[in-house]
Amino acid sequence: MKAGARQVTEIQRHLKYFVQDLFQGKLLPDFSERQWFPSDEDVRNVMKGVKANLTRNDQENLADLLASTIKADDKYFYQPSTDTENFLLCIQTAWQRRLLKCYGGEMVLLDATYRTSKYALPLFFLTVRTNVCYAVVAIFIPQAEDSFSVGRALKIIHEWNPEWKPSSFLVDYCAAEINAIENIFSDCQVFLCDFHREKAWFEWVRKAEHGVAHCVDEVLTMLRRVAESHTLGMYQQNIEKVKQSEIWQSNGKLRDWFESRWISIKERWVKCFRNEYLKVAINTNNGVERQNKWLKESYLAGYRNCSIRDLIEVLLTRFLPKTYQKYCELNIRSLSTYRSYSSDVPTFLHDRPKYFVSHVMKRMSSNIERSDIREGGNGLFHVRSEITPANEYKVWFGSAVKAPFCECMDWRKSKLPCKHMCAVFLLTDWKWDDLHPNYRDLPIFNIDSEVCGHTKTISTENIHVASKTNDVNKVDREGAIANSDGNSNESSTDDLDGGGVLGSENEAENGSSASTPSTPQKMVQLPLRRALNQRAVDRCEIQMKCLRDLIYQVTDVDFLHEIEKKLCTLKEECSQKVPSSNNLPVRQLTPKKLKRKLVMPSTRAGLPLYKRRKVKRFGVLADIKKKYVDVNVPVQTAKTCFPEKDCDRKKTGNTTKGQKRAIEKNSTTEAWTKVDDITLYTTDQQVLMEGSWLNDNHINAAQRLVKKAFPHVDGLQNTLTEAIPLTPQKGESLQIHHVNGNHWAVSSSIGNQITVYESLHSSIGLNFRQQLTKLYSNYADKDDCVTVQLVTSMQYHHSQ
């Protein structure tokens, strides 16, 4: 188990090979002897005992792991949880410090993930976008996700990297993280992730109690226009449109929510306030989310409810090394010495990251000519639009004050050379090298030379503190942040403003970032795990949300100070009730839901449709995908692609056993009758005589007869919709549909009312809906919805 074995079957496999090696060349003992081949229950009991021994002194085991695993050039800070100190662990390897120095000057991503161990501790990833991928450049685990704890960890990491001065951070809407970042990095801009913003908007708008659930799309469209405003004038115009809308004026909850929670922090999420600071386009923290998903699915799959020591061991020995290995391999694969470039690739794209080369090459092939480019001087060009020649886009090569830019949408989204800038490269004397070095020499556009054979050795002093061996409070004096006398050095966070409910209180009690008592503290044993009362938690969460909304409307400052004191007291009371092990909060289990057995319908009703999994995506592209998923795309097939006989005889999956026997019996079928161009054979006659299931040949012939009797009625098209798509109808029409491969239904548009006549199903299935949407698309409303009246009728068997 110390080597990573987690499954009983895996242990049994190792035991089997161990016994074979032990008795090599001798007769193996019988498999029934438990001394050599223990049962699964025996192995499971031993595993429980070993796991209990490993987790009994989890924090001490973690200290031993750090002391034996951390290398000389790596840094870590470890403060175990005691009665007076909160848990804190910060780790940064030598290569992580180098990547942070190289790529951390522009945009840094910060996000926390939970459910990585049995403790209720957040795992924070400090992530940057490198030239080839996203990489975690520091990790820290505080005991609580508050401003003081997050700020304390960021201050430690900043002291490890004194030259690190990020220009911006990207986080979700978490006040604790925002306050901590702004306290440590005063000149840094903090932006909100677009994904979490869209998610927060969608979840608020769709709730019925807010009064806008009936117009979700309309509200989100207005708010998205505000978020996508690329200029200050456009932002003011879109805000004015929102305030003049009828929904805004009639709904007070919408006004209070958007003004107090979003307009007040518009600088964090509106594009016009973001573009002037960024040289790279990063609008979501999906890079961090992918790292979290990669950790949980690929490395923690067999470590459910593991100890904190096991989690750190996985991070240090597997996850982080694989991350750096991937970074190095992708850089090496981008070299011209690894794979030669095509002659079509310009020289300035050689030895560049693959994503950058692909992006620029796609924009090199445009129809822009030299006459479409007008030079304005000092690196300014006016390039005519290909789509609308009357419009021109400004292309500027940048200066020391402002980065290069183009006014087109492609540049705004990617901050990479667009087709207008590439046209200037190809058709004028201004090339890639003429771009200002502040943009041209960004690390994300170049290959990391240190991983391609020119590595440097980082020889900085290792800073690891509060690591315990036999004494819990024995602290490493060399480079330590807090010594055994309780005096703190440069890493003290006394001057850190907590910025949250717990900030000032922790500062007053602790006094330093890692002070420890002079006597060993007794660890608390692990209590029995209890299931979480989810209903009670939900009720408390509702009350907290209501309280938060009310606080935004309070203007009395003295009353707010009283509320803050009461919340601090309530927080301390709650912390005393949280189950813990060794002073660490234990994550509670949620009760498992009972899975209902799927009741299969009868064969006549068809197989149940696959229930599409809900995709956790938000935004304009996600809405488009949801709207157009499962759309029946017609196949443009000529009518002459099949011979007349084969086309009429093509089956759609509704051939009965009686028909098959008739076909086998009469291998040479003869023509029975003909209706226009449809030929019915003797096998079709036998089906009618036996009262078996009708095929498309019968239905198409019957529709031709109805068409002759009622020539003014449209529709009555071929039922083979896969070969010959349905044509949209405008007037009164009638159509027979083949549904689910085993059933026929009828639809009509008599009197401008679309009616469906069903004798088997009480609802309209997916395939039937697609046929109706295609056939009656001219009857759709402004939301592309077709209103259908369903009429269920009695089913007649063997009717004449």
Side-chain angles (χ1 to χ4, degrees):
M1 290 185 64
K2 293 182 179 180
R6 296 286 165 176
Q7 302 294 332
V8 174
T9 54
E10 186 177 4
I11 299 293
Q12 289 281 30
R13 184 170 63 254
H14 288 295
L15 287 175
K16 178 181 177 181
Y17 289 121
F18 173 76
V19 173
Q20 291 178 355
D21 294 340
L22 191 64
F23 287 87
Q24 190 172 7
K26 301 179 182 179
L27 182 63
L28 288 177
D30 192 83
F31 282 98
S32 61
E33 298 184 19
R34 294 175 61 185
Q35 178 184 0
W36 305 106
F37 300 100
S39 63
D40 291 348
E41 189 66 24
D42 296 334
V43 175
R44 194 174 290 109
N45 292 333
V46 174
M47 292 176 65
K48 288 181 179 180
V50 174
K51 186 176 181 180
N53 293 330
L54 291 176
T55 59
R56 182 174 293 112
N57 299 318
D58 199 3
Q59 297 188 73
E60 295 181 3
N61 295 333
L62 175 59
D64 297 337
L65 174 69
L66 294 173
S68 60
T69 307
I70 296 295
K71 299 179 181 179
D73 291 337
D74 300 337
K75 295 180 181 292
Y76 75 93
F77 171 87
Y78 177 44
Q79 171 59 58
S81 176
T82 62
D83 294 336
T84 58
E85 291 291 342
N86 287 335
F87 180 90
L88 179 62
L89 174 63
C90 305
I91 299 177
Q92 190 178 43
T93 62
W95 65 264
Q96 286 180 312
R97 295 202 309 277
R98 188 179 69 84
L99 294 188
L100 179 60
K101 180 181 178 180
C102 183
Y103 302 102
E106 291 298 325
M107 173 73 78
V108 181
L109 288 69
L110 180 66
D111 194 21
T113 182
Y114 286 83
R115 298 180 180 273
T116 55
S117 66
K118 69 176 183 179
Y119 302 108
L121 299 176
L123 171 62
F124 278 88
F125 279 167
L126 200 67
T127 308
V128 296
R129 175 187 172 183
T130 68
N131 58 344
V132 290
C133 61
Y134 285 88
V136 178
V137 293
I139 60 175
F140 61 92
I141 305 177
Q143 187 158 339
E145 191 176 356
D146 56 72
S147 296
F148 177 79
S149 301
V150 176
R152 181 183 176 189
L154 289 177
K155 187 174 181 63
I156 294 172
I157 296 174
H158 188 213
E159 291 177 351
W160 292 343
N161 306 269
E163 299 178 359
W164 174 42
K165 296 180 180 179
S167 62
S168 57
F169 265 82
L170 189 67
V171 299
D172 54 5
Y173 201 157
C174 178
E177 297 177 7
I178 295 174
N179 292 336
I181 293 172
E182 292 180 340
N183 289 332
I184 302 299
F185 307 97
S186 57
D187 298 332
C188 181
Q189 299 291 328
V190 182
F191 301 114
L192 298 183
C193 169
D194 287 354
F195 170 79
H196 290 90
R197 171 180 55 79
E198 283 279 351
K199 181 180 179 182
W201 285 359
F202 179 78
E203 291 178 350
W204 191 93
V205 171
R206 70 172 182 173
K207 291 185 178 180
E209 60 266 23
H210 295 152
V212 290
H214 63 285
C215 52
V216 172
D217 295 337
E218 185 176 356
V219 174
L220 291 179
T221 301
M222 292 191 302
L223 301 185
R224 286 167 182 165
R225 289 198 191 103
V226 176
E228 296 297 329
S229 302
H230 293 283
T231 63
L232 184 59
M234 186 183 300
Y235 164 75
Q236 295 174 350
Q237 182 180 0
N238 290 329
I239 279 289
E240 191 64 26
K241 289 182 180 180
V242 172
K243 294 183 178 180
Q244 291 178 358
S245 64
E246 182 180 355
I247 300 175
W248 177 273
Q249 296 178 0
S250 61
N251 193 303
K253 292 183 178 180
L254 177 61
R255 294 194 301 269
D256 296 339
W257 168 73
F258 195 66
E259 287 179 345
S260 61
R261 188 162 178 81
W262 294 101
I263 295 183
S264 60
I265 58 168
K266 58 183 180 295
E267 294 82 5
R268 303 192 190 279
W269 56 274
V270 181
K271 294 294 176 62
C272 65
F273 300 102
R274 180 181 301 184
N275 290 335
E276 57 181 311
Y277 294 101
L278 301 182
K279 296 179 183 177
V280 294
I282 303 177
N283 297 316
T284 66
N285 57 8
N286 291 341
V288 189
E289 299 292 346
R290 283 195 292 269
Q291 299 295 320
N292 296 335
K293 183 178 180 181
W294 187 31
L295 171 65
K296 292 182 178 180
E297 294 184 355
S298 301
Y299 296 95
L300 296 180
Y303 289 78
R304 183 182 180 185
N305 299 327
C306 64
S307 63
I308 190 68
R309 179 205 175 277
D310 292 338
L311 171 63
I312 300 303
E313 184 180 17
V314 171
L315 289 172
L316 293 178
T317 61
R318 298 175 59 194
F319 177 74
L320 292 180
K322 285 294 183 180
T323 301
Y324 189 58
Q325 181 184 4
K326 175 183 177 182
Y327 170 79
C328 296
E329 289 181 356
L330 293 177
N331 270 275
I332 294 174
R333 291 183 179 183
S334 300
L335 291 173
S336 57
T337 55
Y338 179 84
R339 180 175 297 175
S340 60
Y341 284 89
S342 172
S343 58
D344 298 333
V345 180
T347 306
F348 77 90
L349 292 179
H350 290 191
D351 293 331
R352 301 280 183 184
K354 183 179 179 180
Y355 86 95
F356 181 74
V357 176
S358 300
H359 177 91
V360 176
M361 288 301 298
K362 290 179 181 178
R363 286 149 181 82
M364 282 289 188
S365 57
S366 63
N367 297 324
I368 300 177
E369 300 178 354
R370 182 62 181 89
S371 58
D372 298 329
I373 302 176
R374 182 167 54 89
E375 188 171 355
N378 296 327
L380 179 63
F381 294 87
H382 300 269
V383 183
R384 187 176 299 155
S385 173
E386 284 187 291
I387 302 176
T388 55
N391 296 338
E392 288 185 343
Y393 295 107
K394 290 182 180 179
V395 177
W396 191 47
F397 275 60
S399 65
V401 180
K402 196 170 184 179
F405 72 89
C406 178
E407 293 180 335
C408 69
M409 187 61 65
D410 185 23
W411 174 273
R412 292 173 180 174
K413 289 183 177 180
S414 64
K415 297 284 186 174
L416 297 175
C418 59
K419 63 179 181 180
H420 309 102
M421 187 174 288
C422 292
V424 176
F425 294 159
L426 295 174
L427 303 176
T428 68
D429 295 334
W430 287 74
K431 306 299 180 182
W432 165 262
D433 294 335
D434 296 317
L435 289 170
H436 196 273
N438 288 347
Y439 175 81
R440 183 193 63 212
D441 297 336
L442 285 176
I444 62 172
F445 300 151
N446 299 279
I447 298 298
D448 189 350
S449 60
E450 293 198 20
V451 303
C452 301
H454 305 285
T455 58
K456 296 181 181 179
T457 303
I458 302 176
S459 58
T460 55
E461 184 180 3
N462 180 29
I463 301 179
H464 63 282
V465 300
S467 60
K468 302 180 301 179
T469 54
N470 297 327
D471 190 348
V472 175
N473 301 283
K474 182 179 179 180
V475 183
D476 188 359
R477 294 176 181 270
E478 182 180 357
I481 290 182
N483 55 29
S484 58
D485 295 331
N487 300 323
S488 58
N489 62 1
E490 296 177 355
S491 300
S492 176
T493 55
D494 288 347
D495 56 340
L496 178 63
D497 183 10
V501 176
L502 303 180
S504 59
E505 184 178 352
N506 281 342
E507 289 179 3
E509 291 182 359
N510 297 339
S512 65
S513 63
S515 60
T516 55
S518 57
T519 58
Q521 300 292 322
K522 185 177 181 180
M523 298 297 177
V524 182
Q525 295 299 324
L526 179 66
L528 294 176
R529 177 165 290 186
R530 296 175 297 177
L532 183 64
N533 190 345
Q534 191 62 38
R535 292 186 177 180
V537 173
D538 293 341
R539 290 194 297 268
C540 294
E541 186 178 2
I542 293 174
Q543 297 298 327
M544 287 189 294
K545 289 183 178 179
C546 295
L547 179 61
R548 183 187 61 188
D549 295 339
L550 292 174
I551 287 177
Y552 279 107
Q553 305 176 21
V554 175
T555 58
D556 190 348
V557 179
D558 296 334
F559 179 73
L560 290 176
H561 286 310
E562 295 179 4
I563 292 295
E564 182 181 4
K565 294 179 181 179
K566 293 180 181 179
L567 290 175
C568 291
T569 304
L570 182 61
K571 177 263 170 187
E572 290 298 329
E573 294 178 357
C574 290
S575 63
Q576 299 297 328
K577 298 295 183 180
V578 174
S580 61
S581 174
N582 297 333
N583 287 344
L584 296 179
V586 180
R587 179 166 57 88
Q588 296 296 289
L589 291 176
T590 54
K592 294 184 179 180
K593 296 182 179 180
L594 297 177
K595 296 183 179 179
R596 296 183 178 179
K597 294 183 178 180
L598 178 63
V599 180
M600 298 294 292
S602 61
T603 307
R604 193 172 184 80
L607 295 176
L609 293 176
Y610 171 74
K611 186 176 181 181
R612 187 173 298 276
R613 184 179 63 179
K614 294 183 179 179
V615 181
K616 297 181 180 179
R617 293 182 179 271
F618 303 93
V620 179
L621 295 178
D623 292 345
I624 294 175
K625 291 181 180 180
K626 293 175 184 177
K627 182 177 180 180
Y628 293 103
V629 71
D630 292 332
V631 174
N632 185 19
V633 180
V635 180
Q636 301 297 331
T637 307
K639 293 184 179 181
T640 58
C641 62
F642 298 103
E644 179 183 351
K645 180 177 178 180
D646 294 340
C647 183
D648 292 338
R649 295 299 303 161
K650 183 175 178 62
K651 304 299 178 182
T652 56
N654 57 335
T655 305
T656 62
K657 294 181 179 179
Q659 289 175 293
K660 292 181 180 180
R661 288 194 301 267
I663 293 174
E664 293 174 358
K665 183 177 180 180
N666 303 308
S667 58
T668 58
T669 56
E670 298 179 357
W672 170 49
T673 185
K674 190 172 184 180
V675 180
D676 292 342
D677 58 343
I678 300 176
T679 303
L680 298 176
Y681 297 89
T682 54
T683 54
D684 299 322
Q685 180 185 15
Q686 187 175 358
V687 169
L688 294 175
M689 298 299 295
E690 294 179 354
S692 303
W693 284 6
L694 303 179
N695 58 33
D696 54 273
N697 219 17
H698 301 101
I699 300 300
N700 288 331
Q703 289 191 134
R704 296 295 177 87
L705 296 176
V706 175
K707 185 66 176 179
K708 288 183 179 180
F710 304 95
H712 62 281
V713 178
D714 294 333
L716 301 172
Q717 303 180 47
N718 197 315
T719 59
L720 294 176
T721 57
E722 295 181 0
I724 305 177
L726 294 173
T727 303
Q729 300 297 312
K730 295 183 178 179
E732 295 184 343
S733 61
L734 182 70
Q735 181 64 42
I736 301 178
H737 302 267
H738 190 220
V739 182
N740 294 337
N742 60 359
H743 176 57
W744 299 98
V746 181
S747 70
S748 67
S749 59
I750 308 298
N752 291 329
Q753 172 64 49
I754 302 175
T755 307
V756 174
Y757 300 92
E758 262 280 8
S759 61
L760 183 60
H761 305 294
S762 59
S763 61
I764 301 177
L766 177 61
N767 177 263
F768 198 2
R769 288 201 305 268
Q770 293 175 350
Q771 295 185 40
L772 295 174
T773 304
K774 179 65 176 178
L775 183 63
Y776 301 109
S777 59
N778 294 322
Y779 292 85
D781 55 16
K782 61 180 181 179
D783 297 327
D784 295 334
C785 296
V786 179
T787 304
V788 176
Q789 180 182 1
L790 179 62
V791 178
T792 56
S793 59
M794 184 180 299
Q795 186 176 20
Y796 297 93
H797 297 278
H798 308 290
S799 57
Q800 300 295 329

